Amino acid sequence: MAAPVRRVLLRPLRRILTQIPGSGVASSGCRQLSVGLRVPAVQKPNDAVLESPSPWRLLGAVFVQRLAVISRDRSSIEKDFAELLKQTELERSLLADHELRLLEDAERVSRKQEEDYDSDEDSGQDIVTAQDLEDTWDQKLRQFKPAQRLTGSIQKQLLNSEADKKADRTCLERCLEDSLVLLVKEKIGSEDVWLLPQVQWENGETLRETAERALTTLTGNSIKATFLGNAPCGVYKYKFPKDVRTESCVGAKVFFFKALLGSGDLAPNKKGGHVWVSKTELQDYLKPQYLEQVGRFMVDL
């Protein structure tokens, strides 16, 4: 009678010990409960569904800018402000040596006019006054002829630049007081379009490398430019003409990169494949939507 009672009392403890791993207690005589949880099968990479390629073609474009060679004329506000600074500096500054000499000469002249003036003070001295020096400097200034400068009215008169005389926009030697931007003519479908130099992105290269290749692959190129950063300064998306548009290739996304011209130029082309234009002249070549995107990051330095 004692054995069955002991077995009944130890049965709950035996069930607990069988659930502890490493306890050494076998689960004989006890039913095992299994919880049926469905474990999802791990999907192998080969079984993944391949995504359809993007219908947009990726392009890298370069915004090559030639900075101004000479400074431009001041505006009316700039002239007034410069005059104000000049007057303020004059009022707050100390007298220069030449101005002190003018005062000394004026005092000497006033002493000569006095009755008790002793003429022996200036005996044997060849006196050159500060006013005599100013007269000499004025004569030299009238004889000096500064070099001609292409700004404002002089540029409009076309006195010094052959490129301006011929209105040759393929030449860099024009509009020296403005920044110029390089544009090239490309054929999209059956239409000739003016764009920034661009090429299609290829696998294994960064977008900046694509933009650099767009510049180096131009025909007759000897340009050396410095790229500003590795991130694009703008992006533009457009659709191809209907005659070349397909379901797998709807249009292009263009990523722009800035570069400053160091040296070199493109070889002249009879077909007029490139131009150097100022900010105000861009509207003569670029389409409105394209021009709007370019104008967002163009800074007229």
Side-chain angles (χ1 to χ4, degrees), residues 15-33:
R15 289 181 179 177
I16 295 174
L17 293 178
T18 54
Q19 301 297 327
I20 300 176
S23 59
V25 180
S27 57
S28 59
C30 298
R31 295 184 179 180
Q32 301 292 331
L33 297 178

Side-chain angles (χ1 to χ4, degrees), residues 14 33 80 111 153 173 200 271 278 287:
R14 186 179 182 86
L33 297 178
D80 294 340
R111 286 204 313 268
S153 60
E173 303 299 327
Q200 185 174 349
K271 298 181 180 180
S278 62
K287 292 187 175 181

Side-chain angles (χ1 to χ4, degrees), residues 61-63 196 228-235 254-259 293-294 296-298:
V62 55
F63 180 85
L196 298 176
L228 305 180
N230 297 320
C233 59
V235 62
V254 187
F255 296 88
F256 301 105
F257 287 81
K258 276 189 176 182
Q293 297 296 328
V294 173
R296 290 182 176 180
F297 57 82
M298 180 177 182

Side-chain angles (χ1 to χ4, degrees), residues 223-280:
I223 291 178
K224 294 182 180 179
T226 302
F227 279 76
L228 305 180
N230 297 320
C233 59
V235 62
Y236 174 68
K237 182 173 70 173
Y238 66 93
K239 291 185 178 181
F240 293 143
K242 293 183 179 180
D243 54 346
V244 296
R245 190 188 310 169
T246 60
E247 294 183 358
S248 60
C249 187
V250 176
K253 294 181 180 180
V254 187
F255 296 88
F256 301 105
F257 287 81
K258 276 189 176 182
L260 298 180
L261 177 66
S263 61
D265 194 359
L266 294 180
N269 191 347
K270 295 181 179 180
K271 298 181 180 180
H274 79 280
V275 290
W276 292 94
V277 293
S278 62
K279 184 176 182 179
T280 57

Side-chain angles (χ1 to χ4, degrees), residues 14 35 46 52-53 64 106 116 130 161 168 181 214 219 246 267 275 294 300:
R14 186 179 182 86
V35 181
N46 296 335
S52 59
V64 184
D116 58 347
S161 176
D168 184 10
V181 180
T219 305
T246 60
V275 290
V294 173
D300 194 7

Side-chain angles (χ1 to χ4, degrees), residues 161-194:
S161 176
E162 293 295 332
D164 285 326
K165 289 180 181 179
K166 300 177 182 179
D168 184 10
R169 294 186 176 181
T170 62
C171 181
L172 272 172
E173 303 299 327
R174 57 181 294 270
C175 297
L176 300 182
E177 66 176 2
D178 295 325
S179 297
L180 298 182
V181 180
L182 175 62
L183 299 180
V184 295
K185 185 187 293 184
E186 293 191 5
K187 197 174 190 63
I188 299 181
S190 59
E191 183 181 2
D192 291 332
V193 183
W194 288 97

